[in-house]
Amino acid sequence: MTASPPLLKPRAPCYSPSVTALALAGVRKRYADRPVLENVDLEIARGEVVALIGPNGAGKSTLLKAIAGLVPRSSGTIRWRGTAVRKWSREFAYLPQREEVDWSFPITVQGLVEMGRYPQTGWWRRFSKADHEAVDRAIESLALGDLRHRQIRELSGGQQQRAFLARALAQEAHVLLLDEPFTGLDRNASELLGDLLHRLAHEGRLVIASHHDLVSAPRLFDEVLLLATRPVAFGIVEEVLRENIIRTAFQSGTPPQAAAS
Amino acid sequence: MDIELLSNPFYQRALATAGFIGFANGFFSGIVVLRRNALSVSALSHTMLPGIALGILVTGALTQWNAFLGALFAALLVGLGSLAVSRGKRIAQGTALGVLYTTGFAAGVAILPRLDTRQELEHWLFGDIIAVGNADMWIAFTIGSLTLLVTTLWMRPILLTLFEPNVAAAQGVHVRLFQYLIFGLLVLSLVASLQAVGCVLSVGLLVTPAATVSLLTDKTSTLFWGGGLVGCLGSLAAVLASSALGIAPGPAIVITLGLLFLAAYLFSPKYGLLATIAR
């Protein structure tokens, strides 16, 4: 899969990796006065694969959902490439945890990817040639060509992740928000998905994924946001995942290595 | 089948209504199947009986409009009531529905002896499509066309919502609005099939067609149009056969659809029982 050609034209020269693309300022979320997220300030450039790590209840899923616009934030602003995002953005794609998806839904891989096109087509416009091409490109780019007519339950875990990624590409989203994408994948499938996320990032996207396994994080991610309701540390994986910093984040209870597969 | 019967205007109306309701509700059954809670539809259908009884009690007469409006009112009240009660998170929606619809049904049963229309009420319980008047036919056509139109117009956001509400919201769909819309259309579809199959059997028309097709296809659009086709042809065949066999058309429709489901369950090339055993 690493050998497959990049999607569209190579995007690397089109953006500057040092410039902030996604900016969160003072993002908060409260459920009935209980703070779930507090003062999340964050600036991330494109081209990165970022892990969200933190203890249970640290707000990892909530942060992903707040960026995607699934849960309204109590306060704070989110900007993508300088433009404020109010409720949701076509530039953002959310990929749910695998167990949240009804895999028996009568839909093929192609049908799933076509759904990603709906923000472009709106509710009524017919698929144009450009729409069909975008769907085909997304499917080819993720090497799903042979599987496009399969019902989605007939895919392996890694293939299911790729099908949802293809849906995000068809949407032409540049921020991919993934909730625990590596859960339930064996080591080989994890590595393949990790490589794939790096390729997508290298093409000019930003990938943010919640993750619970500290051991595999350095292998799979470039940067880590350590979260415990509020950001504890943010930076390249090796620097953030040091014992004293982790202990701050995981003050109560043990680090999740023990629980990780 | 004699030609004389087919030239009877009552019979023609019965066929037209059965075919159309079969199609509209068969189409809509795609949504019920994808929503994965056919049982709540069953609860709502039972709610229509006390609604009809209430309609008679309030107005003092059993007319089509009283019955339809009473059924609609009761189903909406119980359905939306269950949503409201379950918003407090303590009571699950299924629990709330179970409490509300049995209470309503019991109230209907309690009211019935006070009404002097028990004989006719049986028509509403199990349907009486041969007795369809012009007014009934047009009510059914209007409601069926409305649900078909709204469903096809907003098919994309409805599918996104049914498939994965989170992803739908991330794509800009107002998920809660569409959940209420789906629910409202569901109640309308139930009411539309009152005359054909009655309250108790109306669920059959709203579940079985797409359940059958779901065993035969992996394409979402086929589930809907195929469901409409199965519902339409099944209902027509059942009405034709019922007069020859001397059974009531309402039950005949639901039995026919059930037999079609059984056939698909056994013989579907991909998901059928025989194919699964052979594998």
Side-chain angles (χ1 to χ4, degrees):
Chain A
M1 207 182 344
T2 41
S4 47
L7 183 77
L8 310 169
K9 287 161 235 154
R11 280 182 182 270
C14 310
Y15 70 99
S16 161
S18 59
V19 173
T20 296
L22 181 72
L24 276 63
V27 170
R28 287 171 168 217
K29 177 67 192 172
R30 287 164 178 273
Y31 286 115
D33 277 357
R34 190 174 59 86
V36 186
L37 289 174
E38 283 283 352
N39 296 327
V40 180
D41 299 305
L42 193 61
E43 295 190 348
I44 318 180
R46 285 205 266 172
E48 303 287 350
V49 182
V50 182
L52 270 181
I53 289 184
N56 285 335
K60 301 187 292 278
S61 283
T62 307
L63 181 56
L64 287 173
K65 288 178 175 171
I67 299 173
L70 305 182
V71 297
R73 43 187 191 273
S74 307
S75 62
T77 57
I78 294 176
R79 290 175 166 272
W80 168 246
R81 299 180 69 191
T83 310
V85 176
R86 284 187 211 295
K87 272 192 83 178
W88 68 283
S89 166
R90 198 154 80 176
E91 289 278 335
F92 298 175
Y94 174 79
L95 285 78
Q97 289 191 35
R98 286 229 312 287
E99 59 262 38
E100 281 178 18
V101 175
D102 172 13
W103 295 105
S104 65
F105 204 90
I107 196 167
T108 58
V109 171
Q110 179 166 342
L112 182 73
V113 178
E114 283 171 354
M115 277 182 160
R117 213 51 208 167
Y118 290 169
Q120 265 82 3
T121 61
W123 303 148
W124 297 295
R125 185 169 69 68
R126 289 179 69 90
F127 270 51
S128 66
K129 198 159 162 258
D131 293 319
H132 285 299
E133 281 167 4
V135 169
D136 289 345
R137 250 191 337 256
I139 288 175
E140 288 309 318
S141 168
L142 294 187
L144 291 165
D146 296 337
L147 307 171
R148 68 191 295 159
H149 299 300
R150 290 259 189 105
Q151 198 272 334
I152 51 175
R153 171 163 276 174
E154 297 159 29
L155 305 176
S156 69
Q159 290 166 342
Q160 289 174 337
Q161 293 288 6
R162 266 154 57 201
F164 266 91
L165 284 169
R167 175 177 159 142
L169 295 200
Q171 188 184 322
E172 293 173 36
H174 287 91
V175 181
L176 309 180
L177 304 157
L178 298 87
D179 205 350
E180 293 285 349
F182 295 98
T183 302
L185 297 188
D186 62 30
R187 189 177 163 125
N188 192 31
S190 289
E191 307 272 299
L192 283 172
L193 181 61
D195 289 345
L196 178 61
L197 294 181
H198 277 96
R199 196 190 96 210
L200 296 175
H202 186 73
E203 288 166 8
R205 298 183 189 83
L206 169 61
V207 178
I208 305 178
S210 58
H211 193 63
H212 66 270
D213 178 15
L214 297 177
V215 178
S216 62
R219 223 170 43 238
L220 300 169
F221 295 94
D222 303 319
E223 294 189 306
V224 172
L225 172 66
L226 201 57
L227 193 70
T229 308
R230 61 191 74 228
V232 176
F234 175 59
I236 60 172
V237 181
E238 287 77 6
E239 282 181 13
V240 171
L241 294 188
R242 281 189 304 213
E243 204 179 332
N244 55 338
I245 303 181
I246 290 173
R247 198 171 296 135
T248 319
F250 289 87
Q251 262 162 352
S252 54
T254 50
Q257 274 137 316
S261 53
Chain B
M1 183 57 43
D2 52 330
I3 303 299
E4 212 176 306
L5 194 57
L6 281 177
S7 59
N8 177 330
F10 275 97
Y11 203 71
Q12 288 169 349
R13 270 203 297 269
L15 276 176
T17 311
F20 187 78
I21 290 296
F23 184 83
N25 284 19
F27 187 91
F28 198 81
S29 68
I31 289 181
V32 175
V33 167
L34 294 180
R35 210 163 151 256
R36 308 192 136 250
N37 56 354
L39 277 177
S40 76
V41 183
S42 180
L44 285 179
S45 77
H46 283 77
T47 309
M48 296 195 294
L49 171 80
I52 294 168
L54 188 73
I56 300 167
L57 189 73
V58 169
T59 61
L62 175 60
T63 68
Q64 314 302 356
W65 279 108
N66 293 347
F68 276 118
L69 290 178
L72 186 63
F73 174 76
L76 281 176
L77 189 71
V78 166
L80 295 177
S82 74
L83 287 178
V85 169
S86 60
R87 276 199 86 172
K89 303 261 194 276
R90 176 74 194 175
I91 307 281
Q93 203 209 330
T95 311
L97 204 53
V99 171
L100 292 178
Y101 103 80
T102 47
T103 309
F105 196 83
V109 172
I111 295 175
L112 275 187
R114 295 170 166 268
L115 306 172
D116 199 24
T117 43
R118 282 168 80 181
Q119 199 59 36
E120 291 160 77
L121 254 158
E122 200 165 292
H123 295 175
W124 295 102
L125 268 180
F126 301 109
D128 189 4
I129 199 155
I130 302 299
V132 164
N134 269 326
D136 304 319
M137 193 173 75
W138 287 115
I139 292 173
F141 276 16
T142 310
I143 297 178
S145 309
L146 185 75
T147 52
L148 271 180
L149 185 74
V150 173
T151 315
T152 41
L153 269 181
W154 280 281
M155 184 54 99
R156 286 178 186 174
I158 287 173
L159 279 185
L160 288 176
T161 303
L162 291 171
F163 180 55
E164 225 295 288
N166 279 326
V167 182
Q171 289 191 315
V173 177
H174 194 315
V175 169
R176 190 177 296 154
L177 186 75
F178 277 97
Q179 280 167 342
Y180 279 113
L181 177 74
I182 289 167
F183 187 81
L185 293 173
L186 185 67
V187 169
L188 277 178
S189 301
L190 276 173
V191 174
S193 59
L194 263 183
Q195 183 75 40
V197 289
C199 5
V200 177
L201 298 179
S202 56
V203 188
L205 257 180
L206 264 177
V207 178
T208 319
T212 307
V213 179
S214 75
L215 290 165
L216 303 170
T217 184
D218 288 328
K219 265 194 86 178
T220 323
S221 56
T222 312
L223 186 73
F224 287 90
W225 296 104
L229 204 65
V230 167
C232 177
L233 297 180
S235 302
L236 287 176
V239 173
L240 290 171
S242 67
S243 57
L245 297 173
I247 53 174
I253 289 174
V254 178
I255 291 170
T256 308
L257 295 175
L259 289 175
L260 288 173
F261 175 82
L262 185 67
Y265 178 74
L266 291 176
F267 302 118
S268 160
K270 190 169 170 186
Y271 298 109
L273 194 62
L274 296 186
T276 317
I277 291 171
R279 238 175 265 138

